[in-house]
Amino acid sequence: MRTELQLDHWNRKEHFQFFSGFDEPFFGIVAELDITHAYQKAKAANASFFLYYLYQTLKVVNAIEEFRYRIAEGKVYCYDTIHASPTISRDDTTFGFGFIEFKDTFESFLPGALTETEAVRQTSGLCLSDQTGRIDVIHFSAIPWTRFTGLTHARHFAYKDSVPKVSVGKYYTQHGKMLLPVAVNVHHGLMDGYHVGKFLSELQSLFNQ
């Protein structure tokens, strides 16, 4: 389900019109988050840490309205629920795209997420489908081999993309804390640095719980 925003009553109407005219309307921020408690909690539950932080990411995305905005045919819509289209790695070093539905609890999210990740790992190619091509998703990827401080994405400028992209890097230990690089790339016509900062702050709060 989605609801169309009335642009004439939106305080970011001019921002949307301005940045939508850019060849590259996306901007990105990279931050390091403390995952010490979150990692211990996932391991104590014998759960995949990848799926644990994917779930927490989706939980924050769905809590912040601007992360549920998408552009379709020049109009802005707010979706009721946002899911994930993650890249899932295979033993042969390739990856495929998956589609994982968001659920209210990690316990209800996990079965579908495990089924989808295993299904993609048993296939070859990109696994493109109508599901992975949906816009009511975030594009999510993990780069566990590299501790990065910056990140760019391959972009097809002829395609009017508005889907947020979240990537995580290699976690590491410093001063007794486990830190995780998190990159967030979003459409500037739909949100600003304030909203990305809010996303990162709320994700850190969930990691601390």
Side-chain angles (χ1 to χ4, degrees):
M1 298 291 292
R2 66 183 188 179
T3 303
E4 182 182 349
L5 265 66
Q6 300 304 310
L7 298 186
D8 288 339
H9 302 289
W10 188 22
N11 64 349
R12 297 194 72 264
K13 175 184 176 181
E14 289 188 24
H15 302 71
F16 169 70
Q17 293 173 334
F18 179 72
F19 288 109
S20 292
F22 279 39
D23 293 329
E24 172 54 296
F26 275 72
F27 75 97
I29 294 176
V30 177
E32 293 181 331
L33 300 187
D34 183 349
I35 59 165
T36 308
H37 182 69
Y39 182 84
Q40 294 170 349
K41 186 174 181 179
K43 292 306 176 183
N46 198 30
S48 160
F49 187 52
F50 168 76
L51 294 179
Y52 183 78
Y53 61 62
L54 173 57
Y55 167 75
Q56 300 288 19
T57 298
L58 280 176
K59 191 172 182 178
V60 176
V61 164
N62 279 282
I64 300 176
E65 182 173 308
E66 288 76 11
F67 273 80
R68 293 186 278 117
Y69 290 171
R70 300 293 183 272
I71 303 170
E73 299 178 350
K75 299 178 180 180
V76 179
Y77 294 92
C78 180
Y79 281 81
D80 291 348
T81 306
I82 298 299
H83 310 287
S85 178
T87 57
I88 299 170
S89 61
R90 304 186 182 99
D91 291 340
D92 67 357
T93 74
T94 66
F95 70 86
F97 295 108
F99 173 78
I100 300 177
E101 286 191 79
F102 175 66
K103 301 291 184 181
D104 289 337
T105 66
F106 181 61
E107 289 73 20
S108 59
F109 170 81
L110 193 56
L114 287 170
T115 297
E116 179 68 357
T117 53
E118 185 59 26
V120 173
R121 286 172 179 155
Q122 296 303 317
T123 60
S124 60
L126 289 174
C127 298
L128 295 171
S129 68
D130 290 341
Q131 292 286 74
T132 62
R134 291 166 58 157
I135 66 172
D136 58 338
V137 299
I138 58 167
H139 294 152
F140 189 90
S141 57
I143 310 171
W145 312 278
T146 304
R147 172 185 164 185
F148 59 69
T149 56
L151 183 76
T152 61
H153 288 273
R155 291 267 285 119
H156 182 27
F157 292 142
Y159 174 69
K160 298 301 182 181
D161 187 12
S162 61
V163 175
K165 301 161 199 327
V166 181
S167 302
V168 301
K170 180 180 182 179
Y171 56 81
Y172 63 99
T173 301
Q174 186 176 75
H175 305 307
K177 294 182 178 181
M178 295 182 68
L179 301 175
L180 179 73
V182 179
V184 186
N185 288 71
V186 297
H187 193 297
H188 212 340
L190 300 179
M191 67 183 91
D192 305 315
Y194 166 81
H195 305 100
V196 177
K198 183 178 181 181
F199 168 85
L200 291 166
S201 177
E202 292 193 11
L203 184 58
Q204 181 64 77
S205 293
L206 283 184
F207 285 164
N208 290 343
Q209 290 179 6

